[in-house]
Every structure is written in structure tokens, then in C-alpha cells.
Amino acid sequence: MTTSTKTTSTKLKHGDFTDLAKDYSKYREGYATSVRDALIGLVGRPAAELDAVDVGAGTGLWTRIVADGGFRSVTAVEPNDNMRAEGISDSEGYSISWRAGKGEETGLEDESADLISMASSFHWVDFEVGTAEFCRVLRPGGWFVALYNPRLIEVNPVLVDIENELKRLMGERKRITSAHPQMVKELSDKFNASPRFDDVVVLEGRHSVEQSIDHYIGLWQSVNDVRVQLGVDKFEQFLDYIRERLADAEKLEVTYLTRAVAARAKK
């Protein structure tokens, strides 16, 4: 059975995860490791010869997956102090260098990376300014990748019901972080049209996890965009619906679909 603890944050701003950092650290799920391995293949050299940077690293979910890939060096760049502090704590034992910075201004040296990633965060960055910064930091022929890990709700009817309730509450509002196929296509088209890149590849990988109901609700509590758009009252209505819908369940099988759009910097 799930608890009925009410949410407490009242004045969230779009893109500000300061008050969500602990929930983000505790509840967010990782990404498909097959996508990481495919990215190493795109760069075309052994990971041990490559320097990787994760920008907008948050609490380091994707950063640690990258570090497990055996890269020569891994740097995490995160602008939010609370998120970065959680990431440093969660990454104890990993050889990851953490620093303050953002997508438009990483503070990294010219041509110092072979792979730059932004996991569930590229939508917060100005495309032109950000890609110019990434191409400055990338070595010629290096790759930038924007990736997301939305729930693949179609494989679980319960998740479909929950998503339909969210759509009802949101009305005409549009979510900006769901990585739906149209979003992936639009992002791919932007990279293809950019003079900074000469190749674009779209990757997908699945993985499934079993979550407690409290964990599943905690995931929603770590979300910024939906909470800001719904407001406190409607967001609490949404959580109440989830509690009622899952009242008789103990566990929930959730499948994630890591979607990635990778672009190679011109040589």
C-alpha cells in the first residue's frame, strides 16, 4: 500500500530543481546501457582513449552509466548547487570530476572532449548557443548526444490510465520533456540542418524495472515541468488519482525507452 503524504513545494519555477534534488536522487531511474555502448561505437575508438563530458548532469544518473563504460575521463557539469551536491554524494567511489557550469557556458577547455551528453536536460538549453559551446569543447569529429528515458506506457495498461488522467488535467498544456517520437524527429531535423554537424544518428534502447508504488509516486514528485504547469492543487489531484488507481498493488513493472539523438561535430 502506498502512503498519502502530501507534496509540500508551492512555488516551483520551470527548470529549477533546487527543491526536487533529493527526490530526483532517490527516485529517478537510469538509462539503457546499450545506448552508451552504441555511442562509444559511433566515436570509433576504445572508451579508454576517450574523454566524456555530461552537461546538465543533475544527480549523475547518466554520468555514472558513462563512467561504468570505462572512459579515460568523465566530467559532470551541473548548474544547480543542490543537484550537484546530491550527484557528488551519489557518485562516491566513481572517478567523476564535478564542476559548476551550464549548457551555454560549460567553462571547459577548447577541444577537450570526444563525447558530450545531456541526459533529460537539453530542452532547457538554447539550441544555437548550446551547440556552439559543445562544438567548441568537442574535438573534431567528436559527438554530442541528447538523450531521454521516458516510460514506455503502452506495454502496461495501468500506466496508460495514469497518463490519460494527466492529459485530462493538463488540458491544452503541452509537456516539453516526454521525448515523444515527434520531438525526437524535430530534434534530429535541427541537428541535420545545423552547419556545425555532419552526421546525425537516432538510437533507442529499452530496460525494465520493478518499482514499489511509493517509488513510482516519488518519480512524479521529482518532475519539474508537469508540477509547474499543473500547479499545486491539480498536481495533488493527479497524485491522489495514482494512489487510488494503485491502491491494491504492491509493485509496478515499468519499462523505459532510452531515446537518443547523436550528432557529430564537423572535422
Side-chain angles (χ1 to χ4, degrees):
M1 294 290 291
T2 181
T3 61
S4 58
T5 302
K6 300 296 184 180
T7 54
T8 58
S9 181
T10 59
K11 294 184 179 180
L12 286 177
K13 296 180 180 179
H14 252 136
D16 184 0
F17 286 83
T18 300
D19 294 335
L20 305 180
K22 290 191 179 299
D23 282 341
Y24 205 107
S25 169
K26 185 175 181 179
Y27 297 115
R28 285 293 181 107
E29 299 289 351
Y31 299 74
T33 57
S34 57
V35 171
R36 175 204 61 204
D37 297 341
L39 290 168
I40 295 172
L42 283 178
V43 179
R45 302 200 313 276
E49 299 177 5
L50 304 176
D51 300 304
V53 175
D54 187 27
V55 180
T59 62
L61 287 170
W62 169 251
T63 321
R64 290 186 291 277
I65 293 172
V66 172
D68 283 336
F71 285 80
R72 176 169 58 194
S73 72
V74 178
T75 301
V77 179
E78 168 55 41
N80 185 282
D81 292 342
N82 289 29
M83 294 285 276
R84 192 170 61 255
E86 293 291 335
I88 292 171
S89 176
D90 292 348
S91 302
E92 184 177 354
Y94 282 85
S95 182
I96 298 173
S97 175
W98 285 82
R99 62 183 299 158
K102 57 184 181 178
E104 296 88 348
E105 191 176 355
T106 63
L108 299 171
E109 295 182 1
D110 293 354
E111 298 187 5
S112 58
D114 302 288
L115 176 68
I116 296 177
S117 58
M118 291 199 76
S120 299
S121 55
F122 185 55
H123 52 283
W124 300 118
V125 175
D126 180 279
F127 182 88
E128 294 299 329
V129 178
T131 54
E133 172 70 355
F134 301 147
C135 287
R136 177 189 69 79
V137 176
L138 283 169
R139 298 181 177 113
W143 288 78
F144 168 72
V145 58
L147 65 156
Y148 297 84
N149 64 332
R151 288 174 288 270
L152 190 61
I153 64 171
E154 294 83 357
V155 301
N156 189 330
V158 173
L159 297 183
V160 173
D161 290 347
I162 292 171
E163 188 71 18
N164 286 338
E165 174 64 10
L166 177 59
K167 290 178 181 178
R168 186 189 71 80
L169 288 170
M170 292 195 73
E172 297 300 318
R173 302 178 184 91
K174 293 184 178 180
R175 297 167 65 185
I176 62 174
T177 61
S178 59
H180 52 78
Q182 183 60 30
M183 175 185 171
V184 172
K185 181 183 182 303
E186 291 172 358
L187 187 56
S188 177
D189 289 344
K190 290 183 76 170
F191 281 120
N192 274 307
S194 172
R196 300 187 177 98
F197 303 97
D198 61 12
D199 195 8
V200 179
V201 175
V202 176
L203 301 167
E204 290 188 350
R206 295 188 188 190
H207 71 288
S208 296
V209 296
E210 188 177 71
Q211 297 170 348
S212 69
I213 306 307
D214 283 343
H215 188 105
Y216 177 74
I217 291 175
L219 283 167
W220 282 108
Q221 290 174 327
S222 75
V223 171
N224 175 274
D225 178 54
V226 169
R227 292 181 67 156
V228 170
Q229 292 202 57
L230 286 183
V232 175
D233 292 340
K234 281 194 173 183
F235 185 71
E236 194 57 52
Q237 289 178 35
F238 177 57
L239 294 187
D240 284 342
Y241 174 84
I242 295 176
R243 294 182 184 108
E244 293 173 7
R245 183 64 180 82
L246 301 177
D248 296 328
E250 294 184 359
K251 300 286 184 178
L252 190 64
E253 183 79 12
V254 182
T255 299
Y256 286 84
L257 177 62
T258 299
R259 287 190 171 116
V261 181
R264 184 175 62 190
K266 284 189 174 180
K267 298 180 180 180

